[in-house]
């Protein structure tokens, strides 16, 4: 069953995958250098800062002396990460002694940034009567609203002939794996699309951003320039207004796409236009683990398979509908139940029992989250058992043979099928045989040779 490969990909994984030329070009930007430094494991940060003002290669044996005896594995991870990002260059001399040196461009720009202090990529606009900025609470509500509308369009894609309100750039991301469309039928969620909807919000965001960068070249945009701009965006101040006239045309188009996701809010004044970054944008340079803020859960699961969700969100109701039966809704409560039929529907759509259990655990109400386990064991066990029921029978394409001319020919055919590891079933009394479809052609040739 295909799985959505989303979870641990962040900007730094994408930076590491860039060609060497583009990676070196990125390091000409001081903000990229600081963002890289932020993302590194603690031990890797230590190595960079200790070598920042060292202009000669440092022997590997010396670096190993900076680590305690129980930190060998972390040391290896740190070194591998630094080499992947081309921050470290590995040198081996004639005596096969290894040493490391810092990337000179990265080293120079990081020195400048530390000495000159943190300077913003661009200054915010002066606040006056012409610029009415939303409060941080209003901005957070806007970002949440945009993100929920975005996912609701995805969930309801099969009910609409055309997805409205989504840019062509975002549509390409969906069509790569989350949505499929056949002939005149409307777009429908794929198995990966259903799995995507159960993921954590930050994991969903990283998936969208990763795919958005991956197909940048199809929009005639350099992925390195796009990564550079997105990382610069993370250094802006949440809630401040920045003039759109300071951006290139490509950057303006990028912001329009990001506004669909709730990463920025676009506003138009009498003379100027500006954008306001939300927390989603300013957290882009932080790793997925660091940026995942635990939201308060809303699901209470009972031992009788009834579930109560304390929520007013239409999106959360639609997500629960993917694997549960909605029974009734009150203004702030959704009452539903997990049944064998509702789970079979989810399994048919490619959602796994582990994903459902994880979703319930991650969204447990605070009164349940502190319990061990937070979801009753009889519920989690039964969810997995119902999935296992579907896997008891394995379908294999096969061919049935009968009416053999003699017992010898039948036994020879059985031996031939065994040699090819294609024998599924035999009935010696009635001389009947079932073999896998993969060896059907070979079996026909064999039987033809036996009839001569």
């Amino acid at each position: 069953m295909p799985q959505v490969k989303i979870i641990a990909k962040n900007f730094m994984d994408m930076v590491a995958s860039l060609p060497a030329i583009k990676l070196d070009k990125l390091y000409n930007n001081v903000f990229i250098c600081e963002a890289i430094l932020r993302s590194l494991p603690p031990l890797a940060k230590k190595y960079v800062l200790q070598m920042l003002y060292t202009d000669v290669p440092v022997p590997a044996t010396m670096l190993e002396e900076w680590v305690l005896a129980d930190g060998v594995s972390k040391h290896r991870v740190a070194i591998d990460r630094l080499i992947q990002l081309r921050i470290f260059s590995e040198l081996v001399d004639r005596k096969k002694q290894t040493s490391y040196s810092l990337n000179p461009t990265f080293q120079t720009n990081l020195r400048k940034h530390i000495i000159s202090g943190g300077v913003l990529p661009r200054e915010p606009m002066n606040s006056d009567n012409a610029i009415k900025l939303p409060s941080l609470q209003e901005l957070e509500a806007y970002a949440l609203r945009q993100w929920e509308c975005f996912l609701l369009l995805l969930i309801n894609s099969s009910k609409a002939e055309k997805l409205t309100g989504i840019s062509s750039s975002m549509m390409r991301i969906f069509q790569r794996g989350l949505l499929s469309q056949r002939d005149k039928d409307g777009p429908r969620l794929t198995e990966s699309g259903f799995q995507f909807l159960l993921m954590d919000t930050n994991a969903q965001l990283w998936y969208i951003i990763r795919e958005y960068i991956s197909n940048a070249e199809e929009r005639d945009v350099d992925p390195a320039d796009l990564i550079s701009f997105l990382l610069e965006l993370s250094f802006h101040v949440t809630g401040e207004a920045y003039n759109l006239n300071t951006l290139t045309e490509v950057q303006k188009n990028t912001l329009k796409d990001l506004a669909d996701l709730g990463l920025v809010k676009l506003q138009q004044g009498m003379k100027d236009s500006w954008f306001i970054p939300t927390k989603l944008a300013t957290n882009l340079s932080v790793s997925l683990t660091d940026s995942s803020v635990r939201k308060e859960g809303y699901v209470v699961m009972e031992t009788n398979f009834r579930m109560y969700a304390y929520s007013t969100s239409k999106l959360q109701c639609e997500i629960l509908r993917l694997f549960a039966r909605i029974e009734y809704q009150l203004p702030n409560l959704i009452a539903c139940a997990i049944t064998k039929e509702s789970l079979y529907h989810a399994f048919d759509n490619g959602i796994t029992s582990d994903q459902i259990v994880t979703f319930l655990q991650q969204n447990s109400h605070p009164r349940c989250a502190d319990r061990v386990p937070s979801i009753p064991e009889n519920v989690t066990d039964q969810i997995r058992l119902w999935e296992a029921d579907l896997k008891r029978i394995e379908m294999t394409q096969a061919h049935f043979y009968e009416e053999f001319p003699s017992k010898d020919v039948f036994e020879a055919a059985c031996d031939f099928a065994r040699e090819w590891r294609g024998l599924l079933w035999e009935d010696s009394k009635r001389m009947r045989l079932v073999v896998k479809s993969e060896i059907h052609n070979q079996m026909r040739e064999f039987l033809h040779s036996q009839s001569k």
Side-chain angles (χ1 to χ4, degrees):
M1 184 178 293
Q3 300 289 320
V4 184
K5 296 180 181 178
I6 303 172
I7 308 301
K9 274 273 189 178
N10 62 18
F11 266 126
M12 298 313 136
D13 296 308
M14 302 199 73
V15 170
S17 66
L18 289 173
I21 296 175
K22 291 186 177 182
L23 193 51
D24 289 338
K25 179 184 174 183
L26 278 181
Y27 292 154
N28 285 318
N29 187 317
V30 294
F31 299 103
I32 301 295
C33 296
E34 184 180 344
I36 295 287
L37 185 65
R38 285 182 183 183
S39 74
L40 293 174
L43 204 54
K45 287 179 186 175
K46 170 185 171 69
Y47 294 159
V48 170
L49 293 175
Q50 287 196 219
M51 293 174 59
L52 192 58
Y53 288 91
T54 302
D55 295 322
V56 295
V58 176
T61 52
M62 182 179 291
L63 261 69
E64 291 169 1
E65 292 175 358
W66 298 347
V67 188
L68 296 174
D70 59 351
V72 176
S73 60
K74 292 181 180 179
H75 168 76
R76 193 64 255 170
V77 169
I79 295 295
D80 289 344
R81 191 59 164 166
L82 291 169
I83 292 174
Q84 287 172 2
L85 290 166
R86 288 179 57 79
I87 296 173
F88 267 15
S89 296
E90 190 174 41
L91 309 170
V92 181
D93 59 20
R94 293 179 179 178
K95 298 180 180 179
K96 296 185 178 181
Q97 299 291 325
T98 303
S99 58
Y100 301 102
S101 62
L102 275 177
N103 182 306
T105 306
F106 180 89
Q107 185 179 29
T108 301
N109 282 314
L110 192 56
R111 282 179 183 177
K112 288 180 182 177
H113 193 65
I114 290 176
I115 292 171
S116 62
V119 180
L120 294 174
R122 53 186 59 84
E123 290 296 325
M125 299 175 68
N126 294 324
S127 298
D128 53 35
N129 295 330
I131 301 178
K132 186 178 179 181
L133 297 179
S135 66
L136 291 179
Q137 291 79 6
E138 291 171 337
L139 195 62
E140 187 171 349
Y142 159 82
L144 178 62
R145 186 168 61 252
Q146 286 294 106
W147 184 252
E148 289 201 353
C149 288
F150 180 72
L151 291 183
L152 278 171
L153 283 171
L154 184 61
I155 291 174
N156 297 321
S157 58
S158 59
K159 300 176 184 178
E161 293 183 2
K162 186 177 180 181
L163 289 177
T164 56
I166 295 182
S167 67
S168 59
S169 302
M170 291 301 166
M171 274 303 299
R172 289 193 194 97
I173 293 174
F174 291 147
Q175 290 166 352
R176 283 193 168 199
L178 303 183
L179 290 178
S180 64
Q181 189 165 359
R182 294 182 181 178
D183 302 328
K184 297 180 181 179
D185 295 335
R188 294 182 179 276
L189 281 169
T190 61
E191 288 187 7
S192 295
F194 280 105
Q195 294 167 8
F196 171 83
L197 291 170
L198 291 188
M199 302 305 298
D200 178 77
T201 300
N202 283 297
Q204 292 171 336
L205 178 61
W206 282 117
Y207 173 82
I208 296 295
I209 293 296
R210 186 193 72 194
E211 292 299 316
Y212 184 71
I213 294 171
S214 298
N215 66 20
E217 292 180 345
E218 297 175 12
R219 308 189 301 274
D220 296 324
V221 177
D222 187 339
D225 291 340
L226 183 56
I227 289 175
S228 178
F229 173 63
L230 290 170
L231 285 175
E232 278 190 20
L233 191 62
S234 71
F235 283 89
H236 290 63
V237 180
T238 303
E240 292 286 349
Y242 296 89
N243 199 323
L244 280 170
N245 293 330
T246 61
L247 306 178
T248 66
E249 201 61 36
V250 170
Q251 291 171 342
K252 289 178 182 177
N253 291 334
T254 300
L255 284 183
K256 290 178 183 177
D257 292 333
L258 297 181
D260 290 342
L261 304 177
L263 272 73
V264 295
K265 182 176 176 62
L266 301 179
Q267 289 187 338
Q268 176 71 50
M270 295 293 292
K271 296 181 181 179
D272 296 317
S273 302
W274 57 89
F275 68 94
I276 306 169
T278 68
K279 282 185 178 179
L280 292 176
T282 53
N283 279 338
L284 283 176
S285 67
V286 186
S287 70
L288 178 63
T289 304
D290 293 339
S291 64
S292 297
V293 179
R294 170 64 65 183
K295 292 184 178 180
E296 189 173 280
Y298 59 96
V299 172
V300 175
M301 190 78 225
E302 296 186 341
T303 55
N304 60 1
F305 294 86
R306 294 188 63 81
M307 182 166 56
Y308 299 94
Y310 293 88
S311 173
T312 58
S313 169
K314 185 178 179 181
L315 172 64
Q316 290 173 347
C317 179
E318 292 300 317
I319 289 176
L320 291 173
R321 201 186 299 276
L322 295 175
F323 61 89
R325 185 185 69 212
I326 306 297
E327 297 186 338
Y328 58 87
Q329 288 181 254
L330 298 176
N332 64 341
L333 176 68
I334 305 166
C336 43
I338 291 180
T339 66
K340 187 175 184 179
E341 291 72 23
S342 68
L343 286 176
Y344 275 14
H345 176 71
F347 299 149
D348 287 342
N349 286 323
I351 300 173
T352 67
S353 60
D354 285 341
Q355 288 169 332
I356 293 171
V357 170
T358 300
F359 175 84
L360 293 173
Q361 291 170 340
Q362 290 177 344
N363 292 279
S364 289
H365 192 277
R367 291 189 177 183
C368 303
D370 294 335
R371 296 187 315 205
V372 180
S374 58
I375 305 299
E377 285 186 341
N378 71 303
V379 174
T380 57
D381 289 345
Q382 188 61 62
I383 290 173
R384 292 190 172 102
L385 284 172
W386 275 330
E387 183 184 38
D389 282 345
L390 297 176
K391 299 178 180 178
R392 287 183 179 179
I393 300 176
E394 183 178 346
M395 303 294 289
T396 303
Q397 290 187 344
H399 285 268
F400 177 73
Y401 296 88
E402 62 179 348
E403 298 182 0
F404 287 88
S406 67
K407 189 75 171 179
D408 291 339
V409 173
F410 169 75
E411 291 178 352
C414 292
D415 292 339
F416 179 84
R418 287 192 192 94
E419 289 177 5
W420 283 80
R421 297 181 180 179
L423 180 62
L424 294 175
W425 176 81
E426 62 177 303
D427 182 352
S428 300
K429 290 182 179 180
R430 298 183 181 182
M431 292 194 296
R432 296 187 297 182
L433 181 68
V434 177
V435 301
K436 294 180 181 178
S437 293
E438 296 93 83
I439 69 165
H440 174 57
N441 292 332
Q442 292 89 334
M443 178 63 80
R444 286 177 60 188
E445 292 176 5
F446 173 77
L447 292 175
H448 181 69
S449 65
Q450 292 294 308
S451 64
K452 292 180 180 180

